Amino acid sequence: MRLRSLGVVIFINLCLAFVEPPSSLSWSSDPRHGFHNKRVNVPCGVTESIELACVLFYIVDLGLKMVLFGKKQVYKSKWLWGYVLVLAISIVDWLVSVTLGCNEIYRFRRLLRPYFLLQSSSLMKKTVRAIGRTVPQILSVFFLLFLHLVIFTFLGMLLLSTSEVAVTNVMSNHTNTSTNGSSGGNESTNINVHRHEYFGTNFGDSFMKLLVLLTTANNPDVMMPAYKNNRLYAVYFIIFTFIGLYCFMNLLLAVVYSQFQGYLKNSLQSSYFRLRTGVRAAFEVLRERAFDQAASSSMDNSTVSTLLTRRLIQRVDFGRKNIDVIWDILDRNRRGQLTAKQFQDLFDSVSRQQTVQHPPLSRCTNHYLRLLQKMVVHDFFNYFGLLLVAINVVIISVELSRHFDKNTFYVHSTLAAVDFFFIVYYFLEQCLKIWAIGWQRYITHKQNIFDGVITLALV
C-alpha cells in the first residue's frame, strides 16, 4: 500500500512540469502560432500547493524509512542521504517561489524531481549502479571513437579539398616620357587560388560532419558534395563508416551488454541467495520457537508442523493467489510436518510462475451445435479471422490511396460498406467464441479480452 501511494505521489509530482509556467497546455508546441496557440497558465499557488503536499508525503516516507532501517543503515545508505539533500533543496526552492509570487526565473527543484523516482525503485537503483560500473569501459570506447573522428577529420580536410589556380595578365597603360619620345606600358601577372572545400572550412565544421556521418543521420548531406566532384572520394567514406559504425559502435554495444548482463546475473544470484537464506532462517526460528505448546510437542526436532506454518502465513500478506498455492501444498502433506527442504520448496512454489487453469469446455448435446463448437474452437477458425483482418487492411489501404482527396468515410462510400461487413463479422466471431468456450474460459485468455475490447470499440 505504501509503495502504491508513493508511486501515485511521484507520478503527480512529475506531471506538474506540464502545467507549471511555461505550461504545455496548448494545441501546438510551436510558440510562433501566436493568438491561436495561447498557453493555459494555472494561477499561482495551485501547483505550489500540490507540490507542498507531495513534499510532505516524501518527508513522512523518509521518516518511516529512518525508523524502520535504523541509524546504522541510514548512515550507510547514500540514497537516503541524497533523499534528504534533494528534499532540503526542494523545500528551499519552493519557499523562494512562494516568496517571489511565482515570478522566479529558475526552478531548480524541477531537475531534482526524477530522483524521487530513482530512490523509490530497486530496479532503478540497480540500473544506476550498472551504469556506474560500465562508465570506465564506455569512456575508453568513447576515447577510441574520438581519436577515430579526429584522425579522419584531418584526413578529410587534406584529401577532400581541391585548389584551382587562375593566372591573369594585366596591362597597366600609363605614358612614360623617354629620350626617344616613345610611350609604353607595364604587364603584371595576378595569381588567384580558389579552394573548393567539399568537407568543411575548419576543424570544428569537419568534425561535426563526421559525427553526423557516424550516427548515420543525414549522411548523404555529408558525402554527396565530395562524391559529385570525384567518385574516388567514396573510398574515404566507406573506410570511415566501416571502422566507426561496424567496429567501434558494435564494440560499445558489446561492452554495455556484457557489463549489464554480468551485473544482472550477480544481482539475481544475490537476491536468490538472500531469499533462500531468509527462508532457512525462518525455518530455524520456527523449529526452535513454537506458537503454542501443543504444536511444538508434536514436532520432530528437524521438522516444522504445518499448523505452525499456517499460523505464520496468516500473519504475512502473500497475496490471495500465493496463499491458495501454499494452502494446496500444505493440504497434500499427510504427515503434518515439513522438513527444511519441504519448507524451502513451499516458498519456492510462490516465486515460480503458475500456469493459468482454464475452465473445461461445456459440450453441447445437439449434434449440429457440437459440430459448430468444434469448428469455433479449432485453430483454423482463428487463422481464418486473421486472414480476414489482412484482407480488411489491404482494402482500406487501396481505397484510401485511390480516393484520398474524397470523403471516404461517407456513409454510402465503398470503404464504409466494406468496414461495416468486417465489423459485423468480428462481432459474430466474438459472440461465437463466448458461446463455444464459455464466458469463464473466454476471460482467462488475454488475447480474447483484447479482441473483445477492440471489437466493442469498432461497434
Side-chain angles (χ1 to χ4, degrees), residues 317-327:
D317 185 14
F318 273 104
R320 186 61 186 173
K321 293 183 179 180
N322 296 331
I323 290 179
D324 292 339
V325 173
I326 294 176
W327 278 180

Side-chain angles (χ1 to χ4, degrees), residues 358-359 429-435 437-453 455:
H358 302 290
E429 179 187 20
Q430 297 304 314
C431 292
L432 286 174
K433 283 186 177 182
I434 295 175
W435 168 79
I437 65 178
W439 175 254
Q440 296 296 330
R441 188 181 179 89
Y442 180 85
I443 60 178
T444 56
H445 294 274
K446 295 181 179 180
Q447 183 64 38
N448 292 335
I449 297 176
F450 177 77
D451 294 341
V453 171
T455 303

Side-chain angles (χ1 to χ4, degrees), residues 362-364 369-377 435-436:
S362 58
R363 295 186 176 277
C364 300
L369 292 179
R370 190 184 308 120
L371 181 61
L372 179 61
Q373 185 183 28
K374 290 182 179 180
M375 293 174 58
V376 174
V377 175
W435 168 79

Side-chain angles (χ1 to χ4, degrees), residues 3 55 173 209 264 335 340 418 420:
L3 293 178
V55 171
N173 296 323
K209 285 187 176 181
L264 178 62
R335 296 177 54 203
V418 172
F420 178 77

Side-chain angles (χ1 to χ4, degrees), residues 37-95:
N37 193 34
K38 286 187 176 180
R39 297 179 183 270
V40 179
N41 294 320
V42 297
C44 179
V46 176
T47 59
E48 285 72 17
S49 301
I50 299 175
E51 187 174 10
L52 178 61
C54 296
V55 171
L56 292 177
F57 188 90
Y58 294 148
I59 294 174
V60 173
D61 178 66
L62 178 61
L64 289 175
K65 288 182 178 180
M66 288 183 175
V67 172
L68 295 176
F69 292 165
K71 293 183 179 180
K72 293 183 179 180
Q73 187 66 26
V74 170
Y75 292 151
K76 294 180 181 179
S77 179
K78 298 179 181 179
W79 289 99
L80 289 180
W81 280 109
Y83 201 3
V84 174
L85 180 62
V86 170
L87 280 176
I89 296 175
S90 299
I91 293 173
V92 172
D93 194 35
W94 182 86
L95 292 175

Side-chain angles (χ1 to χ4, degrees), residues 47-318:
T47 59
E48 285 72 17
S49 301
I50 299 175
E51 187 174 10
L52 178 61
C54 296
V55 171
L56 292 177
F57 188 90
Y58 294 148
I59 294 174
V60 173
D61 178 66
L62 178 61
L64 289 175
K65 288 182 178 180
M66 288 183 175
V67 172
L68 295 176
F69 292 165
K71 293 183 179 180
K72 293 183 179 180
Q73 187 66 26
V74 170
Y75 292 151
K76 294 180 181 179
S77 179
K78 298 179 181 179
W79 289 99
L80 289 180
W81 280 109
Y83 201 3
V84 174
L85 180 62
V86 170
L87 280 176
I89 296 175
S90 299
I91 293 173
V92 172
D93 194 35
W94 182 86
L95 292 175
V96 172
S97 299
V98 175
T99 305
L100 297 178
C102 307
N103 293 322
E104 73 280 7
I105 301 176
Y106 302 105
R107 291 192 178 186
F108 297 100
R109 60 185 184 276
R110 287 183 179 178
L111 303 175
L112 303 178
R113 286 172 185 170
Y115 184 83
F116 300 124
L117 179 62
L118 290 177
Q119 66 85 27
S120 64
S121 174
S122 60
L123 182 60
M124 290 288 186
K125 293 178 183 178
K126 292 179 181 179
T127 304
V128 172
R129 294 192 192 101
I131 293 175
R133 294 189 178 187
T134 56
V135 165
Q137 290 80 6
I138 293 176
L139 288 180
S140 62
V141 179
F142 277 153
F143 181 71
L144 292 177
L145 279 173
F146 177 75
L147 290 181
H148 172 66
L149 289 172
V150 170
I151 292 173
F152 272 85
T153 298
F154 286 122
L155 289 177
M157 293 177 67
L158 294 175
L159 296 177
L160 305 183
S161 61
T162 58
S163 301
E164 292 183 358
V165 180
V167 180
T168 57
N169 295 325
V170 180
M171 288 289 294
S172 58
N173 296 323
H174 58 277
T175 305
N176 293 327
T177 305
S178 56
T179 56
N180 55 6
S182 64
S183 63
N186 294 329
E187 182 177 345
S188 62
T189 302
N190 293 335
I191 301 177
N192 296 322
V193 180
H194 180 69
R195 294 184 60 85
H196 294 280
E197 301 289 346
Y198 301 105
F199 191 62
T201 57
N202 51 52
F203 177 81
D205 188 20
S206 303
F207 185 86
M208 291 304 299
K209 285 187 176 181
L210 278 187
L211 183 61
V212 170
L213 182 61
L214 183 64
T215 58
T216 67
N218 296 331
N219 48 2
D221 296 339
V222 180
M223 295 186 297
M224 292 309 296
Y227 181 73
K228 289 180 180 179
N229 182 64
N230 194 335
R231 292 179 180 270
L232 293 179
Y233 288 158
V235 178
Y236 167 82
F237 293 108
I238 292 173
I239 296 175
F240 171 79
T241 305
F242 177 79
I243 297 176
L245 186 62
Y246 296 102
C247 294
F248 289 121
M249 296 300 288
N250 287 334
L251 179 62
L252 177 63
L253 178 62
V255 168
V256 175
Y257 175 76
S258 62
Q259 293 295 324
F260 268 83
Q261 185 186 31
Y263 182 78
L264 178 62
K265 184 178 179 180
N266 295 333
S267 177
L268 292 176
Q269 288 178 351
S270 60
S271 299
Y272 184 71
F273 177 75
R274 288 195 300 267
L275 175 63
R276 295 189 68 89
T277 303
V279 173
R280 180 68 184 189
F283 175 81
E284 295 296 333
V285 171
L286 288 179
R287 189 172 63 86
E288 297 294 337
R289 300 173 58 186
F291 286 101
D292 52 56
Q293 190 66 25
S296 61
S297 60
S298 61
M299 288 192 305
D300 188 10
N301 291 332
S302 60
T303 59
V304 173
S305 68
T306 56
L307 178 61
L308 194 61
T309 306
R310 287 178 184 271
R311 293 181 179 180
L312 172 65
I313 293 173
Q314 288 175 353
R315 297 187 177 187
V316 183
D317 185 14
F318 273 104

